[in-house]
Amino acid sequence: MAELPVDPLEEVVMGAAELLRARGDRMTAPRRAVLTVLARRQSHLAPEQVVAAVAGLDTGIHRASVYRALETLNDLGVVQHVHLGHGTTAYHLAAEHRHLHAACGRCGAVVDLPGDLLDQVAARLESEAGFVLDPAHVALSGTCSACRG
Amino acid sequence: MAELPVDPLEEVVMGAAELLRARGDRMTAPRRAVLTVLARRQSHLAPEQVVAAVAGLDTGIHRASVYRALETLNDLGVVQHVHLGHGTTAYHLAAEHRHLHAACGRCGAVVDLPGDLLDQVAARLESEAGFVLDPAHVALSGTCSACRG
DNA sequence: GTGTTTGCAAATGTTTTGCAGTGTC
DNA sequence: GACACTGCAAAACATTTGCAAACAC
């Protein structure tokens, strides 16, 4: 098939490169590899999972560089992280990020939820406590339908 | 003042002891110390904070025993833990636990919220996704009023 | 060429585990 | 007196850091 339309990964990488250069930073192999991994797997990945996937892509990239790349790309806004409870953190591309998350405490499954689920709660929190909610930054916790016997 | 009414800590310890014995387990010095610490400070404490507070109470109690006590008492239902995001977990007595939490990503402050804040969301989650929410198990994330310059 | 970023290795910090001795019931 | 639980020390684990070499711009 002829591929005139832009490769989505290519687009992400080029966008990130531009943002990086605008800050005087650079697009490098580790950063490209992290973006590649996150673009391929649509799901949320723990840092160690990213490390493993990157290793399968380019043996030369060090663990520490993956951590540093995740942090840089997160600061840049290209990547976002979610706290899943139980101490684990997961990363994904910010572009995919128009939904909220719930994590099952029993099986660990992550359920995607409509992005507006907490809108009313956020409004109430802001007016009553002056607290500005970032609803996508933590996953709600509970038990998924499959795990309720 | 004469203290005929029961000491609240005493009550917690005795209740826990009973639950422990009912399982064939025992009330021990580390477990009593952890309950004492959590009963005194009303707030949510990270494991290492509990370790530190316990050390100030009884030098002989080992770090590992505090971790084990927290887990046991959590299984028992006497103590509960909340995930505050950013990898940190906090413990408190289950009895104090009729409220939800929000953590400020900037300063780390934990704000207590009304216990019914997520009731509508929980209902919607259950009917639409079959997901049973445990609203107190994770803290909502955002920015507190003091940190919004 | 300049200055950021990397790979490495070691440090860090928290939590877990195996085991022999201790103490609760 | 049994057996759960402890203290200890070491292991496991994830993440961070200092530094000289490498490479993006």
Side-chain angles (χ1 to χ4, degrees):
Chain A
M1 328 264 165
E3 291 206 11
L4 283 190
V6 193
D7 176 10
L9 169 58
E10 194 74 6
E11 198 171 336
V12 170
V13 171
M14 281 172 54
E18 200 163 336
L19 288 169
L20 283 165
R21 261 172 279 149
R23 297 203 320 189
D25 294 349
R26 293 155 193 189
M27 174 55 70
T28 61
R31 289 169 184 169
R32 196 164 7 240
V34 164
L35 289 175
T36 305
V37 163
L38 291 182
R40 280 192 189 163
R41 327 259 176 120
Q42 302 266 16
S43 60
H44 336 77
L45 297 178
E48 279 307 308
Q49 292 179 295
V50 179
V51 167
V54 163
L57 205 67
D58 177 341
T59 326
I61 294 176
H62 197 267
R63 189 180 228 70
S65 300
V66 172
Y67 280 92
R68 285 187 280 225
L70 284 171
E71 191 187 347
T72 301
L73 294 170
N74 183 81
D75 290 350
L76 211 65
V78 177
V79 156
Q80 297 213 345
H81 65 270
V82 197
H83 298 289
L84 296 180
H86 214 74
T88 58
T89 304
Y91 288 81
H92 55 67
L93 293 184
E96 302 173 8
H97 186 56
R98 290 287 150 261
H99 59 271
L100 309 186
H101 312 90
C104 176
R106 203 147 342 209
C107 69
V110 177
V111 183
D112 290 340
L113 305 173
D116 64 356
L117 184 69
L118 292 180
D119 283 359
Q120 287 180 38
V121 170
R124 197 176 147 195
L125 258 182
E126 183 154 7
S127 67
E128 289 181 17
F131 190 94
V132 180
L133 188 65
D134 180 4
H137 192 225
V138 291
L140 297 173
S141 183
T143 310
C144 75
S145 55
C147 283
R148 302 181 311 161
Chain B
M1 326 261 166
E3 291 207 9
L4 284 189
V6 193
D7 176 12
L9 168 59
E10 195 74 5
E11 197 171 338
V12 170
V13 171
M14 282 172 55
E18 199 163 336
L19 287 170
L20 282 165
R21 261 172 280 150
R23 298 201 319 190
D25 295 348
R26 295 157 192 185
M27 175 55 69
T28 62
R31 289 169 185 170
R32 195 165 5 238
V34 165
L35 290 175
T36 304
V37 163
L38 292 181
R40 281 192 188 164
R41 325 257 177 125
Q42 302 267 15
S43 60
H44 337 76
L45 297 178
E48 281 305 308
Q49 293 180 294
V50 179
V51 167
V54 163
L57 206 67
D58 178 340
T59 326
I61 294 176
H62 196 268
R63 189 182 227 69
S65 300
V66 172
Y67 279 94
R68 286 186 281 224
L70 284 171
E71 191 187 347
T72 302
L73 294 170
N74 183 81
D75 290 349
L76 211 65
V78 177
V79 156
Q80 298 215 343
H81 65 270
V82 197
H83 298 289
L84 296 180
H86 213 74
T88 57
T89 305
Y91 289 81
H92 56 66
L93 293 184
E96 302 173 9
H97 186 55
R98 290 288 150 259
H99 59 271
L100 310 185
H101 311 91
C104 176
R106 203 148 340 210
C107 69
V110 177
V111 183
D112 290 340
L113 305 173
D116 63 357
L117 184 70
L118 293 179
D119 283 0
Q120 288 180 38
V121 171
R124 197 174 148 196
L125 258 182
E126 183 154 9
S127 67
E128 289 181 19
F131 189 94
V132 180
L133 188 64
D134 180 4
H137 192 224
V138 292
L140 298 173
S141 184
T143 310
C144 74
S145 55
C147 283
R148 303 181 308 162

